[in-house]
Amino acid sequence: MKNKLITILLCLLALPLSLSAQVYKDVKAPIEKRVEDLLNRMTIDEKIGQMNQFLGLEYLKTNRANLEKGDAKNKNENVFYPHTPISQIEAWTKEGLIGSYLMVFTAEEANYLQRLAMQSRLGIPILFGIDAIHGNAMCDNMTTYPSNINAACSFDPDMTYRIARETAEEMTTVGMRWAYNPNVEVARDARWGRVGETFGEDPYLVSIMGQSIVKGLQRNLDTQQDVLACIKHFVAGSQPLNGKNVSPADISERTLREVFFPPFKQGVDAGAATLMVAHNEVNGIPCHTNKWLMTDILRNEWKWPGFIVSDWMDLEHVWEVHKTASSMKEAFYQAIMAGLDMHMQGIHWQQMVKELVNEGRISEERINQSVRRILYTKFKLGLFEHPYTDEKLRKKVCQSEAHMNTALEAARNSIVLLKNEGSLLPLTEVKYKKVLVTGVNANSQNILGDWSNWMGDKTSTALKGLQKIAKQTDFDFVDQGNNPRYMTEEKVNEAVEHAKQCDLNLVIAGEYMPRSDWNNRTDGENLDRSDLNLVGLQEELIEKLYATGKPTVLVLINGRPLSTEWASDHLPAIIEALAPGIQGGQALAEILYGKVNPSAKLAITIPRNVGQLIKVYNEKPAASFHPFTLTNDAPLYPFGFGLSYTTFKYSNLTLDKVQMGTTDSFKASVTLTNTGSKEGTEIVQLYIRDCYSIVSRPVKELKDFKRITLKPGESQIVIFDIPAEKLAYYNEEMKWTVEPGDFDIMVGSSSADKDLLKATINVK
């Protein structure tokens, strides 16, 4: 009997792993144990496959159909894999050799690909990613919220959280569980085309807004309506040479740590599950092969456990563009050894990485490190238990009344009134009975901004919004087309003739951003500018309409700051609407006609011209020591600036102490009074300046802000709690420290000196 038991025991021990208890399928087991159990069952091919991402099948079919002859022989082999049959990609999915897809836009396709993956030996689900930058707007019939730069101008992190939360709800209806957002790059060069998908130029504001997006998308990642956030792009791609995307960034470690790292560190601390590295090189080393960034900073210094994904074809660009690897295979090697976990996207990864392992250049344990992170995330999301999505949910959730109302409220809070000479605005229907409406963005879905599909009748264009809000006004619309590149003198002159019969001119101008017309855009990803002027005949249109003698209002719809110095000098009213989204036209009309009192403030400085760049409010003292000769050195509009239809008075700035220690805190209070005749919301901003320091410090730095709503005549004491940590910086030894000395505490309505009250505290 004893011998029989021993025999049975030995047989059980000899059972192959595939027949033993499948811990990875046990929902009650700790995730770490599920990961290790699954990892031990995987072949090296399956592991490498989990580290690779592919393009969606329908996206591939569409792009292959549009390829011009000859293109397939060049870089499109890497981009759209035209020589790889769709059936082969389907087969790889069934074999468990693809871990992720992007550019999948429907629940039907997502479910189809998941069904293929479920046929694989181990049944590891696919993780679908998408660029849900301001809503899941790359998919049809989704709520397109105001762009990130709009959200930053609202200075409203609670609304930003709400947008992210609703975005996650809409994403999951099409099977998407991974958003490539927030973009927490600090945008310091307005020539760069991606300004609109960032939260502006200030590290503190970008950090707060990015954190809200992370928390809104993810929550605790414990329901089927939660999705992964991806903080991107690490790092400094927003201050590239000549403002050109992918261009080198030569930036000191001090500037990296003081300006560009803080929003990423905030995202890490908020629990961001994933991170995307930047296209560019930093100080000569591409971010995608930069061990200092990915391993030394992220892993060792910040102790971040998430997984790192490349950006679109950027590993191939290490070889093709940066020329720091002699082959694609060598680029893959450098990236993996530097700390990269997942490749976006392509067909060569599987073979080349397998060769690197077989050659002994990359250990299987190094592969295991990345696969652990990816598998952990899939388990955390509940993908193993719920790989499919309900295809009926989309109509119930997307563009719901609640979501569209959020988009409207967010748009109202994000449109900046830059100029209102003589209180021309708000308009009245009694005074201005016939209004000329013209400009390339007057009736264009371009109001949605970059990273969005056009949404048809659901989009409130500027003209549609005006017609809805001011029903008694005769709006005379003169169409200038949608694209400023193709404006004509004939249409400009037609608008001028119509203006003679109108009471007021309303010009809706700006940039052109739709991804559906990629080669004709003027703003957005990879659309960098050598100047910031209005494109085409827009300036001529504005000047000729002004010359009619009729009051002329300019509205800008764009992703980046534009140089509109002539308009600022001559026109009585200017509104910066940026890209306010699917309800943007109504929100704009409500502001123009006084149904809504504007409250937004600029999240980025507007320069007078491209020669001022880089022009940021938090410059070092010596930056303006010698002003430009012959031109005004001040910005056209400063960071934090924005007007209201009421007026606010700041008074009685008080600190609760005049001296404190390096680990203490203090309170700053100011009295805010609405001295106008309308209820309004003011964004109260607090800045600090280290008066004298061993290392040169900025002339001011934003450290807190509050949105305060007051009725006419109402006052409120606004209190800020300021820990000593907010006074800290990296000293000459690159140690984070609070240095003894005087600090100016400034509170007011913008970053401009004239708009700030000042008090001083001494740190001993």
Side-chain angles (χ1 to χ4, degrees), residues 565 569 607-609 611-612 615 627-636:
E565 190 167 14
D569 287 343
R608 292 181 178 275
N609 52 62
Q612 276 190 307
K615 188 67 174 176
F628 285 119
T629 302
L630 304 179
T631 58
N632 190 332
D633 199 36
L636 195 58

Side-chain angles (χ1 to χ4, degrees), residues 84-125:
T84 303
I86 295 294
S87 60
Q88 178 62 74
I89 299 171
E90 291 171 324
W92 285 333
T93 307
K94 284 195 273 189
E95 293 170 27
L97 301 182
I98 298 177
S100 178
Y101 275 92
L102 78 161
M103 297 299 183
V104 174
F105 303 118
T106 67
E108 290 77 9
E109 184 181 358
N111 284 341
Y112 172 71
L113 291 169
Q114 286 290 27
R115 285 193 292 272
L116 294 180
M118 290 304 103
Q119 297 176 46
S120 65
R121 187 175 68 89
L122 296 169
I124 302 174

Side-chain angles (χ1 to χ4, degrees), residues 601-645:
K601 307 276 190 176
L602 290 174
I604 189 167
T605 300
I606 298 181
R608 292 181 178 275
N609 52 62
V610 74
Q612 276 190 307
L613 299 178
I614 296 171
K615 188 67 174 176
V616 291
Y617 88 91
N618 53 351
E619 63 187 9
K620 297 295 181 67
S624 296
F625 179 66
H626 288 297
F628 285 119
T629 302
L630 304 179
T631 58
N632 190 332
D633 199 36
L636 195 58
Y637 298 102
F639 174 88
F641 175 80
L643 299 175
S644 168
Y645 293 150

Side-chain angles (χ1 to χ4, degrees), residues 359-398:
E359 292 163 6
R361 297 188 67 198
I362 298 178
S363 69
E364 186 165 356
E365 180 48 39
R366 170 62 194 92
I367 298 297
N368 288 347
Q369 289 174 356
S370 291
V371 179
R372 277 191 188 94
R373 294 165 186 149
I374 295 165
L375 292 179
Y376 181 92
T377 303
K378 290 185 175 185
F379 280 117
K380 181 70 175 174
L381 276 175
L383 283 179
F384 282 82
E385 289 70 50
H386 305 286
Y388 304 112
T389 190
D390 183 348
E391 295 173 13
K392 297 178 182 178
L393 276 178
R394 185 171 183 163
K395 291 182 179 179
K396 298 177 183 178
V397 175
C398 302

Side-chain angles (χ1 to χ4, degrees), residues 255-358:
T255 300
L256 286 171
R257 288 187 177 277
E258 292 179 351
V259 175
F260 295 100
F261 279 4
F264 287 93
K265 181 60 165 63
Q266 190 93 346
V268 163
D269 291 345
T274 71
L275 174 144
M276 187 182 294
V277 273
H279 300 295
N280 54 287
E281 62 187 65
V282 171
N283 301 331
I285 301 177
C287 294
H288 279 74
T289 58
N290 198 314
K291 181 177 179 293
W292 181 68
L293 290 175
M294 288 190 279
T295 299
D296 296 347
I297 299 297
L298 281 171
R299 302 294 184 201
N300 298 337
E301 186 174 326
W302 295 353
K303 310 299 182 187
W304 181 66
F307 78 78
I308 303 171
V309 64
S310 73
D311 206 341
W312 182 281
M313 304 302 296
D314 272 327
L315 299 193
E316 289 76 2
H317 292 160
V318 169
W319 162 53
E320 295 176 316
V321 178
H322 299 291
K323 302 293 185 181
T324 54
S326 57
S327 65
M328 189 186 303
K329 179 177 171 181
E330 183 65 21
F332 291 168
Y333 168 77
Q334 291 179 9
I336 291 172
M337 297 311 291
L340 191 85
D341 298 309
M342 183 180 285
H343 170 235
M344 177 197 290
Q345 40 76 28
I347 59 175
H348 301 294
W349 175 268
Q350 189 76 29
Q351 175 189 339
M352 291 182 177
V353 176
K354 177 72 175 295
E355 290 174 2
L356 289 166
V357 173
N358 289 341

Side-chain angles (χ1 to χ4, degrees), residues 1-9:
M1 184 66 178
K2 182 178 179 181
N3 290 337
K4 188 175 181 180
L5 288 172
I6 292 173
T7 301
I8 294 172
L9 180 61

Side-chain angles (χ1 to χ4, degrees), residues 705-737:
F705 56 84
K706 293 181 186 292
R707 289 177 58 89
I708 305 295
T709 301
L710 298 175
K711 291 179 169 44
E714 184 180 3
S715 293
Q716 182 175 327
I717 297 176
V718 183
I719 300 174
F720 295 96
D721 292 307
I722 308 165
E725 176 76 8
K726 288 194 174 183
L727 308 180
Y729 82 112
Y730 289 96
N731 66 14
E732 74 276 23
E733 297 175 353
M734 291 302 292
K735 293 180 180 178
W736 187 247
T737 186

